[in-house]
Amino acid sequence: MVALKVSLKLIQPSIEILNIRIDEPITVATDLLLAAICFYAFLRIRKFEYMGRVKWYFKYYFLILGLGAAFGGIFSHAFQYRLAEEWKLLSWVMTLGSVALITHALVEIAKPLIKPVVSRIVTSFNTLIFVVALFYTLWTMAFSPVKFYTIYGMLLVVGSFSYFIYRKTGSRGMLYLMAAVVVGFLGAIIFSFEWGLSPWFNHRDISHIILSFSAVGFYKGAALIMNASVIGPV
């Protein structure tokens, strides 16, 4: 039976390609896999006939998340040994921004189903939490605000609003979003507890693969929501 191991002993070796050193190559590859899925989703959503804020939020959610994953793989892993620690902020800030965008997308979809005052309160609170997380990340150079804001945004906002909208409309797209949240949370647990299988497939690699499946779920959900006319012209 294969057991997950804590990653203290799972430091991924470097490789060299054309005399160029690349650290954590599998982590880089899985980051780029996630980025590729996000870029594909961004390009597909651009072609949707639906026009409105929801499309804008979903479209740029995938673009910014994809850029964050790509920058994370390149600057935070592959070539971190040549760069200052501050380069990690590119990926972290984009992760925060992507979560903020998808939370706004769900609030926008829910607007016809909730009172305007509720929508304003939730939007204002989301914005406040995002700003606090952003400034704390920039001030402390710590990853913890990114992690906690992602948990808040995905579980409390995206998860709860997806369930609420599904109960009101029966939208299949919301089922995909809820499934994507659950899958993404599993990846977050593996990353947080640093469970890995080997130095060549550690907790980062596993979580990136799981987050890739989660991104597919978010794309499928977004496509169903916009193509099935679940939402109005917002």
Side-chain angles (χ1 to χ4, degrees), residues 10-185:
L10 301 183
I11 300 174
Q12 197 166 105
S14 303
I15 64 172
E16 283 194 8
I17 299 177
L18 301 176
N19 293 322
I20 298 174
R21 171 183 155 189
I22 299 175
D23 286 351
E24 302 178 278
I26 306 301
T27 302
V28 175
T30 52
D31 253 330
L32 294 180
L33 170 65
L34 174 58
I37 291 170
C38 290
F39 293 149
Y40 173 82
F42 166 75
L43 293 173
R44 292 289 297 176
I45 291 174
R46 284 183 64 192
K47 298 179 180 179
F48 289 175
E49 293 183 1
Y50 173 82
M51 300 298 293
R53 293 179 188 174
V54 173
K55 177 182 176 179
W56 190 91
Y57 285 134
F58 274 122
K59 181 173 66 174
Y60 287 104
Y61 161 73
F62 284 110
L63 176 62
I64 293 177
L65 181 59
L67 289 172
F71 289 155
I74 295 169
F75 299 133
S76 300
H77 298 291
F79 303 113
Q80 177 61 58
Y81 65 94
R82 298 294 298 269
L83 302 169
E85 287 291 312
E86 286 77 9
W87 282 88
K88 292 181 177 180
L89 290 172
L90 275 174
S91 175
W92 295 355
V93 168
M94 287 186 176
T95 299
L96 287 170
S98 67
V99 175
L101 286 169
I102 198 168
T103 59
H104 283 299
L106 267 294
V107 175
E108 203 69 47
I109 296 169
K111 274 186 176 181
L113 307 172
I114 59 179
K115 295 180 179 180
V117 65
V118 175
S119 171
R120 288 195 296 270
I121 290 172
V122 174
T123 300
S124 298
F125 186 73
N126 285 346
T127 303
L128 174 63
I129 297 298
F130 166 72
V131 170
V132 170
L134 176 62
F135 275 96
Y136 192 75
T137 300
L138 295 173
W139 181 262
T140 64
M141 279 287 297
F143 182 71
S144 54
V146 180
K147 180 170 65 175
F148 292 130
Y149 178 72
T150 301
I151 291 172
Y152 157 78
M154 289 300 185
L155 281 182
L156 295 186
V157 181
V158 177
S160 61
F161 269 82
S162 296
Y163 177 74
F164 171 77
I165 297 167
Y166 173 73
R167 289 295 302 271
K168 293 290 186 178
T169 66
S171 166
R172 287 181 58 235
M174 293 301 159
L175 290 177
Y176 275 94
L177 294 191
M178 286 187 283
V181 168
V182 172
V183 171
F185 185 62

Side-chain angles (χ1 to χ4, degrees), residues 3-12 24 26-27 30-31 77 143 147 184 186-211:
L4 290 173
K5 305 172 185 178
V6 176
S7 67
L8 291 175
K9 299 181 180 179
L10 301 183
I11 300 174
Q12 197 166 105
E24 302 178 278
I26 306 301
T27 302
T30 52
D31 253 330
H77 298 291
F143 182 71
K147 180 170 65 175
L186 174 60
I189 290 175
I190 289 174
F191 181 86
S192 296
F193 286 94
E194 300 188 351
W195 291 335
L197 294 173
S198 79
W200 292 103
F201 200 55
N202 61 29
H203 63 290
R204 293 188 180 93
D205 311 328
I206 296 172
S207 65
H208 291 165
I209 295 292
I210 292 173
L211 290 175

